[in-house]
Amino acid sequence: MKPVGAVTRGTTNPNRLRRVDNWIAYRCGARLAAAADPLVVDLGFGATPVTAIELRERLATRVRRDVAVVGLEIDPVRVAAALPAADPPRLEFRRGGFELAGLRPVVVRALNVLRQYDEAEVATAWRTMTATGAALVEGTCDELGRVAAWAYVENGSPLTLTLSARLSDLDHPATFAERLPKALIHHNVPGRPIHEFLTALGHAWDVAAGPFGPRQRWRQAVAALHAAGLPVSHEPNRWRLGELTVRWPAPRPSDA
């Protein structure tokens, strides 16, 4: 099966995807726990296999010990370089793209991949990756994983957007604008839902300024959005981690 997609930069670092991994364990844990074959695909694992290794370790610790992770890369050189780290059947590396190399995973993680594509290609990639019923977590983060944003997608349709940051480093929620998923980043302009949401979050952050630390300021800001009726998930335990999840704030890419 010919891989679908293109070789991207492949930049990665240890712990870069820790925030999204923790969210996958939280949001997709029940889905994986109930699966007969708890397979997760790490699409576009990059120049080194470190984030695929970490994903497997985190899910094995927090969800179930027999979770299997397959890292896919279009670049055969990267696949070859990752093979010494493989620990089959629980951790493997193969050549593949959006077609998922014929696998039928329960969850697909695709971070910092579609950011390097044209927006017009996003909807097709989403549909392809979820065609077998997999849940897709797709988004971007900075080089050290301090600021991240990702979509949760089922059946080709985005359901939620999650923003996550290391609060001690967060100067202002406007920082998230630089890390929005490809499907949203060009829609962050006045009059569009994502711009209105980030503006509201930034205003709530400004209002919550005071003598307290960034963690309490963030919690107050997110709680204010929820109280105002914005579609923010009521998950105070997640807010405390520097995270919020909101109903997808834009049309599907194909409808935009």
Side-chain angles (χ1 to χ4, degrees), residues 51-242:
T51 55
I53 295 170
E54 292 172 342
L55 176 61
R56 157 64 190 159
E57 291 174 348
R58 288 166 182 148
L59 294 181
T61 300
R62 301 177 188 182
V63 180
R64 53 188 284 185
R65 295 180 60 185
D66 61 341
V67 166
V69 171
V70 175
L72 295 183
E73 261 290 348
I74 288 182
D75 185 350
V77 174
R78 293 177 185 169
V79 176
L83 288 178
D87 184 19
R90 300 307 174 200
L91 179 63
E92 300 182 40
F93 299 94
R94 304 181 189 178
R95 189 166 183 242
F98 297 132
E99 84 300 333
L100 306 181
L103 299 169
R104 299 183 66 86
V106 178
V107 178
V108 177
R109 184 187 73 179
L111 264 287
N112 303 304
V113 175
L114 285 173
R115 176 66 176 264
Q116 302 174 59
Y117 283 73
D118 290 334
E119 183 186 348
E121 300 175 89
V122 171
T124 298
W126 280 357
R127 287 194 296 268
T128 302
M129 288 186 281
T130 59
T132 60
L136 169 66
V137 180
E138 185 272 310
T140 64
C141 66
D142 70 355
E143 288 74 11
L144 298 179
R146 295 168 298 187
V147 178
W150 57 83
Y152 178 79
V153 182
E154 292 184 357
N155 301 315
S157 296
L159 302 182
T160 61
L161 170 71
T162 298
L163 307 178
S164 181
R166 188 165 68 185
L167 294 177
S168 59
D169 293 329
L170 184 66
D171 55 350
H172 194 274
T175 302
F176 286 111
E178 303 172 6
R179 301 297 168 182
L180 290 173
K182 190 69 175 188
L184 289 177
I185 195 165
H186 299 303
H187 297 272
N188 186 29
V189 294
R192 294 297 184 97
I194 184 57
H195 184 271
E196 294 175 357
F197 179 74
L198 289 181
T199 298
L201 177 59
H203 176 69
W205 172 267
D206 294 339
V207 169
F212 305 108
R215 188 179 304 276
Q216 185 164 352
R217 184 179 184 182
W218 172 262
R219 292 174 65 184
Q220 289 179 339
V222 178
L225 296 185
H226 183 268
L230 276 73
V232 175
S233 297
H234 188 252
E235 299 172 305
N237 288 339
R238 307 304 298 180
W239 302 349
R240 183 175 55 82
L241 300 175

Side-chain angles (χ1 to χ4, degrees), residues 25-43:
Y26 166 73
R27 177 64 176 80
C28 303
R31 190 184 188 108
L32 285 166
D37 181 14
L39 173 62
V40 178
V41 161
D42 179 18
L43 182 68

